Every structure is written in C-alpha cells, then in structure tokens.
Amino acid sequence: MRETRRALAETLSRIGSLIGDGQSRDDVLDVEQLSNESGVPRDVVRMLLDGEEPPAEDITDRIVRRIVHLRETRLRPDGTRHSYDEIAASYGASRASLSNLVNSRRKTPSPQTPSRPVPSEQVPSEQTGERRPARSGGPLASTQAGIETFFFGQPNGWLSAEPQASLDNALQSVLHGLEGEAADPMARLRSTHGLRELAARAPQLAEEELQLVTDWIDTILQRRNAQRVRGTELDSSHTEGH
C-alpha cells in the first residue's frame, strides 16, 4: 500500500508541476474519464486526488464491481453491452457461473462500509502494489484472468488492483500528454492560450497590450519561417554538392 500511495502522489505532483499558467488541476483531470479508465468510483477518484485514503473494500466485491463496470463502459461496436454468455464462453465457463457470481455480490455492502477480513493471499501486494489475481489458482482467479483477457487481450490485474494503483495507471496518459506539451512550446501555447481564446479576449485588451501579443506571435512565426528557410537552403546545397 505504501508504494502504491507514493507512486500516485509522485504522479500527481508531476502533473501539478506541468499544468500551465491560468489552468487548474480540474482543467486537465476529468474525474468521469479517470473513473471509466480505472474502474475506481468517481467519489473515490476525488478522494484519491485530494490525498485521502479510499474506503475499505472486499477484494471479491471489487472484482465483481469492476466486471459490471467493464460491461457498462467497454461496449460492442454497435453500442450494446457484451453478454455474460459471450464473456464466459471466451474462457470456457458457463453464463450461469458468471452471472451467479455477479448477482451474489451486488447486494453486499458498498465500499464505504468497512469490509470483512479476507485472507492475505487474496490482496494485491501492499509492498509493491503489484497487480495480481485475488488468489493463485481457484475459480475466482481463473474468472479474473478470463475476463481481463476478453477485454484487454491478456490478464493484467485490472480487476483486482488497489484503487491507488488503478488511478495511477489511468493518470499516465494525462502525464505523458503534459510532458509532450512541455517539450513543445507551441503545443503548450495552443493548450493554455489557444489562438481562438486570444482572439476572443482581444477586445478586452488595451491597445498596447494587444500590440505586445501581436508582436510576440509575429516573432515566433518569423523564427519558425527562418528555420524552415535555413533547412531548405541546407537541403539544396547538399543536393548540389552531389
């Protein structure tokens, strides 16, 4: 648990350091999208983003809740949900076994209610945050592996991962996008000060301020054009030399 908590904190800290001027964390972190990608409920996503501890949750309840979540968010191309028959058949199980598992656990207490103790071997590693099946062997582990293979192409521990690890994984695409913008000033300019936004704010600017913005953009464009011309000249001289 300590390692997954630290990893999530480091990711959030890095994201915070990359957020552009005039933006807030809410501008770059979509709670709904993060919940869909991670399988972590929206209210728990908000708690984790605020540095709070998530509520206790039985590992089997978590797996079943995320099975339901996958059916509701990873739809067929025609927009309908995958059937229990289709999912169970993919790993050699019956529809009844899968639907019975889901229906038997959906009436259990919510994650906000302290859960009953579970055997230590059913919980993902607290030292490393490693994603692994709820048990090594047994029907629940084979069900988890089969469903993850159906939706992701291979077993990846998505169904049983601790909330911190799940959210941290979902945040990686956000982090990589911000890192890409930081490496490309023009991309960051488009993201934080889009040209349409600048145009919309132009009437609010004083004449001197508007001229400064115009000169700044002109300087950037002139520099880029000069770089293109030099690149073209170098290519031409290289061609003539041959």
Side-chain angles (χ1 to χ4, degrees):
M1 182 76 72
R2 185 177 299 109
E3 293 302 321
T4 58
R5 187 187 303 120
R6 180 185 303 166
L8 176 60
E10 290 175 353
T11 296
L12 289 173
S13 176
R14 178 62 176 156
I15 287 174
S17 70
L18 292 169
I19 293 176
D21 295 337
Q23 288 187 307
S24 68
R25 192 179 68 179
D26 291 338
D27 293 325
V28 298
L29 298 183
D30 185 328
V31 171
E32 181 76 24
Q33 183 178 351
L34 290 172
S35 177
N36 286 343
E37 292 182 4
S38 67
V40 178
R42 289 187 296 274
D43 57 337
V44 178
V45 169
R46 293 189 185 95
M47 291 176 65
L48 292 172
L49 292 177
D50 290 337
E52 301 177 23
E53 283 295 310
E57 183 177 26
D58 179 274
I59 186 69
T60 303
D61 291 342
R62 180 189 302 152
I63 291 173
V64 168
R65 180 177 54 74
R66 290 184 180 177
I67 291 172
V68 175
H69 177 84
L70 284 174
R71 288 192 69 227
E72 293 175 347
T73 60
R74 272 67 168 180
L75 304 175
R76 295 190 183 109
D78 63 2
T80 60
R81 291 183 297 179
H82 294 280
S83 67
Y84 285 130
D85 284 302
E86 181 183 3
I87 298 170
S90 71
Y91 60 94
S94 66
R95 178 192 186 282
S97 65
L98 179 55
S99 61
N100 287 343
L101 169 65
V102 171
N103 292 330
S104 68
R105 306 295 295 198
R106 293 186 75 174
K107 295 181 180 180
T108 56
S110 68
Q112 285 71 18
T113 303
S115 60
R116 59 184 177 279
V118 294
S120 60
E121 67 269 22
Q122 294 189 17
V123 182
S125 169
E126 296 186 355
Q127 297 300 318
T128 65
E130 177 187 3
R131 296 179 174 188
R132 59 183 174 82
R135 290 182 302 190
S136 56
L140 185 57
S142 61
T143 296
Q144 175 180 346
I147 293 174
E148 288 171 353
T149 300
F150 180 84
F151 284 101
F152 302 110
Q154 63 181 4
N156 61 1
W158 190 91
L159 289 173
S160 62
E162 290 286 337
Q164 292 93 334
S166 297
L167 180 58
D168 184 59
N169 186 63
L171 285 168
Q172 294 310 304
S173 60
V174 178
L175 176 58
H176 294 158
L178 290 173
E179 289 175 335
E181 290 179 5
D184 181 356
M186 289 301 295
R188 190 177 183 106
L189 173 63
R190 288 190 295 269
S191 174
T192 59
H193 304 290
L195 294 180
R196 290 184 180 179
E197 181 181 351
L198 286 173
R201 292 186 178 185
Q204 305 171 21
L205 298 176
E207 184 175 349
E208 291 182 0
E209 295 171 332
L210 184 58
Q211 187 60 50
L212 285 173
V213 172
T214 303
D215 292 344
W216 177 56
I217 294 176
D218 287 342
T219 299
I220 293 175
L221 294 177
Q222 289 170 4
R223 185 180 304 169
R224 171 173 290 188
N225 290 334
Q227 290 173 342
R228 289 176 178 171
V229 170
R230 285 197 297 269
T232 302
E233 291 175 348
L234 287 174
D235 289 341
S236 298
S237 61
H238 180 73
T239 302
E240 291 173 359
H242 288 279

